């Protein structure tokens, strides 16, 4: 039986609310992709601010995800979830109303923080509201909506920007969240159950501060360094991130030994396959996130494509995911290493194909070439990402599965943020600050820069494939139901959902 008195329609309404929040997260992590060049032109912002608009969401989500789960245990899942939805909606409106780069970037960071409040509460509510035998169905429905938002984000962002509703242009990609968020708040207030964890953990604020400082020490120079001429203090800041990360590790060990309330349990990393799996996850997602970023900027800034044409070309990407997703999900559980390696090699091939068509076609690049490379990238993602998280978690004992999934979720977001920062620094450094001049000159500059930049993606995917053998050989039989079926509730709330395939 469930832990609450809810039954029948009320709990399915509650599930709809949880799914709506998950959809918003998937949507906003990706909807900005094809609209970003239009945002940059309209607001006359630099490339660094554009990178923060993309990477800031993922970085904030990664830094606060596990903390969001802890806050749900301390203050109650419903209260934290509703707070996250409300402030996410407000942040979306502020992004749409942004009149300066700082306001836009602050809004995106806030969206990421609030998504980190919402998402960890999803499984917490599911395991309290539904019977154990219904957990897989409920989590699957919510995960499907998360993936739908992720896959449909770029296409919807392109269409909304091109439609230019009421003359709002790109701002509609943020305003679309407002009515959805308000509806979720109204329905959530009536349907979500109120509860707290039986054993409330302590909040590891020193750990949060150390991790945030160390992460920003790496990210800030990568994003801002080129525009500021790489002053010496930028390199000092990057160097300082190393002792900050070490201090975080030492603090977590001491805190876990003292009262078991570390932000990240160091015991997880005693499993070699888990540690190696996090590296594989980071590498894979640095390549995935940055590929679409580079492609979008080349098409719109370099070749002058419209937002709508860019979105239609990139729409082949989710079609590729759909084509192989079921294959990876159905057969990858017992062949995780093979499927991750195969998918990574196909994504490396996609990056090589993109280099080839950009170099050979130049300004004459047409939609079929772009769609072909995007479709190939989707095929690789469909094979590898559905089972990557479960492969990484394969050697962990069931009691650690929920906590481990939270770390894997954070790793995917860190990877996305780092990929955009690194590739953006290379691309915009090669293109230079002057993107004016003739269309032919711009196309030539971008084609040359993109042909060089995408070698990072090739390398990232090849390394992912090379490290895949360090993952567990197969998923244990007792993990077939997924981490949710075996982990304790407090682990689930800390972990949130396993990363979606998009």
């Amino acid at each position: 039986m469930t832990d609450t008195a809810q039954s029948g329609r009320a709990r399915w309404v509650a599930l709809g609310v949880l799914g709506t929040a998950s959809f918003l997260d998937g949507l906003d992590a990706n909807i900005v992709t094809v609209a970003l060049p239009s945002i940059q032109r309209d607001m006359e912002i630099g490339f660094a601010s554009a990178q923060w608009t993309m990477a800031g969401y993922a970085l904030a989500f990664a830094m606060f995800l596990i903390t969001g789960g802890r806050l749900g245990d301390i203050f109650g899942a419903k209260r934290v979830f509703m707070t996250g939805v409300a402030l996410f909606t407000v942040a979306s409106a502020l992004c749409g109303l942004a009149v300066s780069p700082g306001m836009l970037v602050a809004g995106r960071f806030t969206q990421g923080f609030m998504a980190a409040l919402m998402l960890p509460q999803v499984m917490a509510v599911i395991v309290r509201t539904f019977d154990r035998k219904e957990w897989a169905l409920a989590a699957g429905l919510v995960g499907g909506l998360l993936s739908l938002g992720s896959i449909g984000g770029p296409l919807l962002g392109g269409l909304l920007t091109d439609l230019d509703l009421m003359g709002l242009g790109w701002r509609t990609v943020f305003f679309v969240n407002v009515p959805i968020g308000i509806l979720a708040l109204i329905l959530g207030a009536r349907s979500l159950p109120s509860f707290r964890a039986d054993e409330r953990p302590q909040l590891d604020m020193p750990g949060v501060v150390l991790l945030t400082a160390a992460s920003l020490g790496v990210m800030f120079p990568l994003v801002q360094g080129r525009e500021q001429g790489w002053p010496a203090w930028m390199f000092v800041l990057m160097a300082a991130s190393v002792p900050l990360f070490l201090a975080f590790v030492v603090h977590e060990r001491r805190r876990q030994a003292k009262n078991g309330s570390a932000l990240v349990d160091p015991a997880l990393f005693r499993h070699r396959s888990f540690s190696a799996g996090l590296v594989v996850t980071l590498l894979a997602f640095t390549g995935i996130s940055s590929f679409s970023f580079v492609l979008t900027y080349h098409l719109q800034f370099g070749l002058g494509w419209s937002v709508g044409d860019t979105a239609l070309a990139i729409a082949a990407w989710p079609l590729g995911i759909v084509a192989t997703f079921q294959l990876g999900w159905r057969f990858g559980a017992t062949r995780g290493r093979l499927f991750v390696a195969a998918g990574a090699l196909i994504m490396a091939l996609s990056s090589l194909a993109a280099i080839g068509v950009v170099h050979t076609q130049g300004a004459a690049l047409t939609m079929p070439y772009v769609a072909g490379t995007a479709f190939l990238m989707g095929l690789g993602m469909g094979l590898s990402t559905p089972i990557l998280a479960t492969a990484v978690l394969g050697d962990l004992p069931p009691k650690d599965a929920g906590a481990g999934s939270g770390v894997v979720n954070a790793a995917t977001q860190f990877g996305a943020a780092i990929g955009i920062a690194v590739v953006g620094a290379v691309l915009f450094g090669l293109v230079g600050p002057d993107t004016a001049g003739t269309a032919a000159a711009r196309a030539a500059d971008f084609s040359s820069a993109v042909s060089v930049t995408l070698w990072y993606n090739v390398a990232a995917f090849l390394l992912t494939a090379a490290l895949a053998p360090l993952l567990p050989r197969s998923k244990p039989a007792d993990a077939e139901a997924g981490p949710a079926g075996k982990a304790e509730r407090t682990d689930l709330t800390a972990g949130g959902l396993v990363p979606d395939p998009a």
Side-chain angles (χ1 to χ4, degrees):
M1 294 297 291
T2 59
D3 289 336
T4 71
Q6 283 199 325
S7 61
R9 182 182 299 179
R11 60 184 181 153
W12 293 106
V13 173
L15 186 67
V17 173
L18 301 175
T20 299
S22 300
F23 174 80
L24 284 175
D25 170 57
L27 186 70
D28 268 72
N30 297 279
I31 197 171
V32 178
T33 305
V34 296
L36 193 55
S38 294
I39 296 173
Q40 187 174 351
R41 288 195 189 98
D42 184 55
M43 297 193 72
E44 298 181 348
I45 62 178
F47 287 122
S49 294
Q51 285 175 267
W52 281 123
T53 303
M54 279 286 292
Y57 183 99
L59 183 62
F61 188 95
M63 291 189 303
F64 209 56
L65 175 65
I66 299 175
T67 302
R70 297 287 190 267
L71 290 174
D73 282 340
I74 295 170
F75 298 107
K78 178 178 181 178
R79 180 183 297 177
V80 173
F81 177 85
M82 296 290 284
T83 300
V85 173
L87 294 180
F88 185 94
T89 304
V90 171
S92 298
L94 291 176
C95 287
L97 294 169
V99 294
S100 68
M103 184 176 176
L104 178 60
V105 171
R108 286 291 285 170
F109 265 91
T110 303
Q111 281 187 312
F113 282 127
M114 293 308 108
L117 285 186
M118 296 188 301
L119 265 291
Q121 317 314 323
V122 171
M123 281 306 304
V125 175
I126 286 176
V127 300
R128 290 278 188 165
T129 309
F130 289 84
D131 291 325
R132 181 180 292 270
K133 63 182 179 182
E134 298 173 316
W135 286 357
L137 173 61
L141 291 173
V142 171
L145 287 170
L146 179 66
S147 298
L148 178 63
S150 299
I151 292 172
L155 182 59
L156 180 60
L159 293 176
L160 286 174
T161 303
D162 254 10
L163 285 173
D164 194 22
L165 298 173
M166 297 181 290
L168 293 172
W170 58 267
R171 297 178 185 275
T172 53
V173 305
F174 298 111
F175 286 140
V176 71
N177 295 335
V178 176
I180 299 175
I182 292 174
L183 179 63
L185 285 171
I186 294 172
L187 295 177
R190 298 178 179 179
S191 63
L192 291 175
S194 298
F195 61 85
R196 294 183 183 181
D198 298 327
E199 296 182 6
R200 287 185 281 174
Q202 297 180 26
L203 186 59
D204 182 14
M205 280 307 299
V208 174
V209 172
L210 284 171
L211 182 60
T212 301
S215 301
L216 290 176
V218 174
M219 288 290 295
F220 187 83
L222 286 174
V223 175
Q224 295 288 155
R226 184 194 59 83
E227 287 196 358
Q228 298 194 19
W230 290 105
W233 65 267
M234 288 278 191
F235 295 99
V236 173
L237 188 61
M238 291 183 72
S241 68
V242 176
L244 284 172
F245 275 120
L246 292 176
F248 172 74
V249 172
V250 171
H251 168 76
E252 293 302 285
R253 287 177 176 172
R254 290 177 176 174
R255 189 175 181 97
Q256 187 68 21
K258 180 180 179 181
N259 54 23
S261 64
L263 184 66
V264 178
D265 186 354
L268 294 172
F269 299 95
R270 294 173 187 164
H271 302 270
R272 188 193 69 168
S273 60
F274 179 77
S275 299
L278 288 182
V279 176
V280 171
T281 302
L282 275 167
L283 283 170
F285 279 87
T286 62
I288 290 169
S289 64
S290 58
F291 183 83
S292 60
F293 182 81
V294 171
L295 204 57
T296 296
Y297 263 89
H298 178 54
L299 297 178
Q300 293 187 46
F301 259 101
L303 304 183
W305 285 28
S306 70
V307 180
D309 286 344
T310 303
L312 287 175
I314 295 179
W317 190 327
L319 292 179
I321 294 174
V322 171
T324 55
F325 175 83
Q326 285 299 327
L327 183 65
W329 187 255
R330 179 172 298 182
F331 300 108
T334 55
R335 301 174 180 86
R337 301 192 301 181
L338 175 63
F339 274 72
V340 170
L345 289 174
I346 292 174
M347 290 190 286
L349 181 61
S350 171
S351 301
L352 284 171
I355 292 171
V357 299
V358 167
H359 179 71
T360 59
Q361 299 300 308
L365 185 64
T366 56
M367 189 174 293
Y369 288 105
V370 178
T373 59
F375 183 76
L376 196 59
M377 181 64 70
L379 291 178
M381 282 189 66
L383 281 179
S384 57
T385 55
I387 45 83
L388 179 56
T390 50
V392 174
L393 298 171
D395 278 348
L396 293 183
K399 68 181 181 64
D400 293 328
S405 69
V407 177
V408 174
N409 266 291
T412 64
Q413 299 299 326
F414 272 125
I418 291 171
I420 293 169
V422 171
V423 167
V426 175
L427 176 66
F428 300 138
L430 291 172
V431 170
D434 184 12
T435 57
T438 66
R442 275 200 315 274
D445 286 345
F446 263 91
S447 294
S448 176
V450 168
S451 297
V452 173
T453 303
L454 285 177
W455 281 104
Y456 171 84
N457 300 77
V458 175
F461 292 132
L462 288 178
L463 279 172
T464 299
L467 294 174
L470 296 177
L471 297 172
R473 287 184 177 274
S474 62
K475 190 169 89 171
D478 64 358
E480 288 296 329
K486 295 291 181 181
E488 296 177 2
R489 198 195 68 75
T490 52
D491 286 335
L492 285 164
T493 58
L497 294 172
V498 171
D500 66 284

